[in-house]
Amino acid sequence: MVPSDEAGLACTCSLVRGAARRLTQYYDEALKETGLKVTQYGLLSNIERMDRPSVTDLADRLDLDRTTLTRNLAPLRDAGWVRLAPGSDRRSRSVELTDTGRDMLELARPHWRRAEVALRQRAGGEVTAALRDVLTQTVAAADAQQQ
């Protein structure tokens, strides 16, 4: 049940968190055969796209603090999918995909893509595009409020 105020106005945060949980379950099910969770797939994809990002840059891109990112990277490192390497200076570390990590990402990508295409077809391309726009605008509004 989504919390609401006395006027029956539903909590935006609760609605978004509930939707995020359900979508996570949907993508996790699609990736189940690969052994990856969608959060792990997202990390691997971003590491590949950013090409050896620093831990700080990756955390910024994912809107995570460094401690949370490090904790999320640990199972990927333990599985041999990523490694931490020296960064551009003595204090920084970069994250890179291993060959095994690239193989895992290639194995998982078609599963993710099928789930993404199916969801967009079921919901409609206009709806999913509007959802991305609305979420982007809502996050920007929340960020502006905090400044």
Side-chain angles (χ1 to χ4, degrees):
M1 177 164 198
V2 175
S4 59
D5 66 8
E6 299 79 35
L9 191 61
C11 175
T12 301
C13 184
S14 292
L15 287 169
V16 171
R17 288 174 59 90
R21 281 190 300 274
R22 181 59 196 104
L23 288 171
T24 297
Q25 292 167 356
Y26 170 80
Y27 284 96
D28 281 350
E29 183 62 31
L31 291 168
K32 186 177 185 179
E33 183 179 313
T34 70
L36 278 180
K37 300 286 188 186
V38 72
T39 51
Q40 296 170 321
Y41 176 82
L43 275 171
L44 293 174
S45 293
N46 276 286
I47 294 165
E48 178 188 53
R49 194 174 305 119
M50 294 177 74
D51 191 28
R52 296 182 47 138
S54 70
V55 171
T56 300
D57 289 344
L58 183 59
D60 288 346
R61 177 165 188 147
L62 299 172
D63 201 22
L64 295 172
D65 62 67
R66 286 175 47 98
T67 303
T68 301
L69 176 60
T70 300
R71 187 173 53 246
N72 291 343
L73 287 172
L76 302 181
R77 194 180 63 243
D78 293 346
W81 300 332
V82 300
R83 70 176 146 255
L84 295 177
S88 58
D89 63 43
R90 291 181 322 172
R91 296 175 297 144
S92 69
R93 311 252 304 158
S94 67
V95 185
E96 54 188 45
L97 288 179
T98 63
D99 290 340
T100 306
R102 287 185 196 290
D103 291 346
M104 178 54 76
L105 190 55
E106 289 306 311
L107 172 70
R109 189 169 279 131
H111 295 271
W112 175 86
R113 189 171 283 124
R114 276 192 297 276
E116 180 71 14
V117 167
L119 183 63
R120 289 181 189 204
Q121 287 175 341
R122 278 187 229 129
E126 287 182 22
V127 169
T128 54
L131 174 62
R132 287 190 299 278
D133 288 344
V134 165
L135 289 172
T136 299
Q137 292 171 28
T138 303
V139 168
D143 287 346
Q145 177 66 31
Q146 290 180 337
Q147 294 174 359

